[in-house]
Amino acid sequence: MNTEQSACASSGQTEAWEQLNWPQCERHVRRLQARIVKATREGRWGRVKALQRLLTHSFSGRALAVKRVTENQGKRTSGVDGKVWGTPATRYKAISTLRQHGYQPLPLRRVHIPKANGKTRPLGIPTMKDRAMEAVYLLALEPIAETAGDLNSYGFRPKRSTADAIEMCRLALCRKTSATWVLEGDIRGCFDNISHEWMLRHIPTDKVILRKWLKAGFVENRILFPTEAGTPQGGIISPVLANLTLDGLEQRLNEHFRVKILNGQRHHPKVNLVRYADDFIITGATKELLENEVKPLVEQFLHDRGLQLSPEKTCVTHIEQGFDFLGMHLRKYDGKLLIKPSKKNMHAFLEKVRATIRRNKAVEQKFLIKLLNPVIRGWTNYHRHITAAQAFRKAEMVIWQRLWYWAKRRHSDQSVDWIAKRYWHRLGRKRRTFAADSGERKPDGKPKLFRLVDPTETRIRRYVKVKSEANPFDPRWRDYFEDRAFFKRMGIHRHEAGIKP
């Protein structure tokens, strides 16, 4: 093909990509996913397999997979081949390459990212094509995971979040008759140690493709290493594979720890599981029950999957001593359960704010505000559903102190009043607000100020947990999720609108 023909082909593919009917593609995929849910619920696994094949071979499924990997945060991150699909033409051309016949994934590119405890977490980055292939098969696997998964698993699942997990913890622990002991579970190297043999026997997806992904290996420092266990952190499909591996624990606990009648009296073990990815807690009526019965059952469940609990991080705690879970601290004070930001989470947030201010000593005020606002807004929004007012006040005070030192350093020869008037302004009822001229003007001609987010202005509101049995791929739950999305956009809670949660 000469240069002119190549340019024409590229132009045609660009136009074809831009003219794709995405709503129609999404409707086609949703219909197939709904049929997979129905077949899964009825136990018709032959039908499930046929529908999965239909979806993974459809143009709509492959197009949406390419769209996903070229629009997410990792769209500019390449694998070992160094390629990215950065133009509409390459994206449209990629759709036709997502074929099972002759497909062979390349090794992952291993990188290490820092963890909060100072250690690093290995990430395996697939190539763009391998990511897109994972995204295709994820479209066909996720409806099964949502239909057959644990009811109180909340990590890496659509329409679920940490807020749902924390609210479930509150429901399981808040009453006077609730469990008083908690098993804090931590799985050692969950993603790195899951048994390949177990996944190949139990994960309901194409076994040939799954085996190729699991055995692809990884490259580090230009050396190829084999992968004998685990699913790589960094792959699009890996979180769902991990969830499917850990699903079933809740059902096993419910089967073993039912209400018993002894000597004419009801004995409730009060065993409840709340899991977010590989972090989980299990409540229990007594310490002995959790240590001697629940913990061995969990260890056996994990052993079958090639996993084990971390002895250092797994412990049994009384609710009056409190425990940390997902950045929150849950503890009962005189019989009342309070959920607050954990000390570790609070410290990490304030250190991030301090580091941001420290690294930007010479920038303009409005640029510093632009750097700080997403950090402050993200942290306060994460904690806005719990008892966080006191933590917000402390955060506001610490941020003010650091900004005051930042301002004084810039103008060491100026008076305190001059510095305060230069950087802090009166906005509404607030006497002091760290704000800068945004460069825009109000209708009255006065400068429009760009202000720093104030943590104390975040309203504390009770979160309404998603129904445990709700399935976003099931058409029967479509109205329910549309209602939740509407009230979330409007900032209205269901109890305020007179609607039952």
Side-chain angles (χ1 to χ4, degrees):
M1 181 181 293
N2 59 34
T3 305
E4 184 178 349
Q5 290 175 325
S6 177
C8 290
S10 177
S11 175
Q13 290 170 345
T14 297
E15 186 177 350
W17 174 264
E18 292 173 347
Q19 291 180 355
L20 282 176
N21 190 337
W22 294 113
Q24 182 178 337
C25 291
E26 291 170 357
R27 284 193 298 269
H28 179 69
V29 169
R30 278 201 305 267
R31 282 195 296 267
L32 288 174
Q33 289 176 326
R35 293 169 67 186
I36 291 173
V37 168
K38 185 174 184 293
T40 303
R41 205 168 48 238
E42 296 171 352
R44 301 168 60 191
W45 294 105
R47 181 67 172 163
V48 169
K49 188 174 180 180
L51 290 168
Q52 284 185 305
R53 179 177 175 80
L54 190 61
L55 198 161
T56 55
H57 286 70
S58 69
F59 178 86
S60 296
R62 289 181 286 127
L64 287 175
V66 173
K67 186 174 187 286
R68 174 172 179 173
V69 301
T70 55
E71 292 184 356
N72 60 14
Q73 290 184 345
K75 61 185 178 183
R76 295 186 180 90
T77 304
S78 63
V80 293
D81 61 354
K83 296 179 180 178
V84 294
W85 297 336
T87 66
T90 56
R91 294 170 189 175
Y92 188 82
K93 184 179 179 180
I95 297 175
S96 62
T97 66
L98 303 183
R99 303 287 184 183
Q100 179 181 356
H101 181 69
Y103 170 67
Q104 183 60 48
L106 293 176
L108 307 169
R109 180 166 68 89
R110 174 64 65 89
V111 297
H112 295 269
I113 61 173
K115 296 170 65 175
N117 58 8
K119 299 181 181 180
T120 60
R121 175 184 288 110
L123 280 184
I125 302 177
T127 64
M128 292 294 289
K129 180 178 178 179
D130 294 335
R131 268 178 268 173
M133 284 291 286
E134 289 185 14
V136 172
Y137 282 84
L138 178 61
L139 290 172
L141 181 61
E142 206 167 22
I144 303 174
E146 288 299 303
T147 305
D150 285 348
L151 295 179
N152 288 306
S153 164
Y154 299 97
F156 301 124
R157 295 182 63 184
K159 310 298 183 181
R160 284 167 168 77
S161 65
T162 53
D164 293 295
I166 292 298
E167 180 63 12
M168 186 61 216
C169 291
R170 189 191 69 80
L171 294 173
L173 295 166
C174 67
R175 300 178 181 86
K176 291 183 179 180
T177 57
S178 297
T180 54
W181 291 91
V182 176
L183 170 67
E184 302 173 60
D186 184 271
I187 302 173
R188 176 182 289 171
C190 178
F191 279 83
D192 297 329
N193 296 305
I194 301 174
S195 167
H196 284 180
E197 289 70 25
W198 190 95
M199 282 193 283
L200 289 169
R201 287 197 307 268
H202 296 92
I203 300 296
T205 191
D206 188 292
K207 309 298 182 184
V208 175
I209 296 293
L210 179 60
R211 180 180 291 276
K212 289 179 179 180
W213 286 334
L214 296 177
K215 302 298 183 181
F218 65 91
V219 173
E220 187 172 13
N221 297 325
R222 298 185 179 182
I223 301 174
L224 176 63
F225 296 89
T227 46
E228 302 299 334
T231 177
Q233 298 186 58
I236 289 177
I237 204 171
S238 296
V240 175
L241 295 179
N243 265 341
L244 285 167
T245 302
L246 297 176
D247 282 336
L249 178 57
E250 185 174 10
Q251 181 180 352
R252 188 171 298 188
L253 289 169
N254 292 339
E255 291 172 352
H256 279 76
F257 301 100
R258 298 177 177 175
V259 178
K260 299 178 181 179
I261 307 297
L262 298 176
N263 299 325
Q265 294 183 339
R266 295 175 77 254
H267 292 267
H268 200 306
K270 302 175 183 178
V271 174
N272 299 285
L273 169 72
V274 182
R275 180 168 67 84
Y276 190 91
D278 57 341
D279 294 328
F280 66 89
I281 65 153
I282 302 176
T283 65
T286 65
K287 183 178 183 180
E288 293 73 21
L289 173 72
L290 292 176
E291 287 183 338
N292 302 330
E293 298 183 50
V294 173
K295 187 177 178 182
L297 184 148
V298 174
E299 289 175 334
Q300 182 58 50
F301 176 88
L302 296 176
H303 181 266
D304 296 341
R305 291 152 174 79
L307 301 171
Q308 59 180 331
L309 291 173
S310 171
E312 302 83 13
K313 299 180 181 179
T314 302
C315 57
V316 178
T317 308
H318 195 275
I319 190 60
E320 292 185 355
Q321 294 177 330
F323 65 95
D324 291 348
F325 186 55
L326 302 178
M328 320 282 185
H329 184 74
L330 297 88
R331 182 179 176 182
K332 270 191 175 179
Y333 298 85
D334 298 325
K336 183 177 181 179
L337 180 70
L338 293 182
I339 306 176
K340 305 177 181 180
S342 68
K343 291 182 179 179
K344 184 177 179 181
N345 181 275
M346 183 84 174
H347 176 75
F349 163 69
L350 293 177
E351 279 300 305
K352 187 173 184 179
V353 170
R354 292 186 184 107
T356 301
I357 297 173
R358 194 163 50 244
R359 288 194 303 265
N360 295 277
K361 296 176 181 178
V363 301
E364 292 184 32
Q365 184 184 11
K366 65 179 180 181
F367 292 122
L368 180 62
I369 294 174
K370 286 181 180 179
L371 292 172
L372 290 175
N373 274 354
V375 178
I376 300 171
R377 189 180 290 113
W379 183 78
T380 55
N381 285 342
Y382 185 77
H383 294 288
R384 71 186 185 275
H385 303 301
I386 61 173
T387 311
Q390 183 178 354
F392 290 171
R393 288 193 294 270
K394 179 181 177 181
E396 191 270 341
M397 180 187 69
V398 172
I399 294 170
W400 182 88
Q401 289 176 341
R402 301 312 303 177
L403 290 174
W404 180 252
Y405 296 147
W406 175 86
K408 282 187 66 177
R409 180 187 177 278
R410 294 162 68 91
H411 305 283
S412 57
D413 57 341
Q414 297 290 345
S415 67
V416 170
D417 289 340
W418 186 94
I419 295 173
K421 291 179 181 179
R422 171 70 174 77
Y423 292 102
W424 279 266
H425 305 271
R426 186 183 185 97
L427 295 177
R429 296 181 179 179
K430 291 212 65 174
R431 293 174 55 191
R432 57 180 192 185
T433 300
F434 192 74
D437 188 344
S438 64
E440 300 178 7
R441 296 287 168 179
K442 296 181 181 179
D444 59 4
K446 293 182 179 180
K448 190 174 182 179
L449 295 178
F450 181 50
R451 62 191 292 271
L452 186 74
V453 171
D454 186 349
T456 61
E457 293 181 355
T458 301
R459 184 179 176 185
I460 306 296
R461 308 178 75 168
R462 175 65 55 80
Y463 182 80
V464 179
K465 189 183 80 69
V466 67
K467 289 186 177 180
S468 298
E469 65 275 16
N471 185 341
F473 298 101
D474 191 337
R476 299 180 302 176
W477 290 97
R478 186 169 299 157
D479 291 343
Y480 171 78
F481 283 109
E482 287 178 355
D483 286 348
R484 282 183 66 89
F486 171 76
F487 288 119
K488 184 177 181 180
R489 286 196 305 270
M490 299 299 292
I492 303 171
H493 276 229
R494 288 167 171 251
H495 62 82
E496 295 174 353
I499 298 176
K500 293 182 178 179

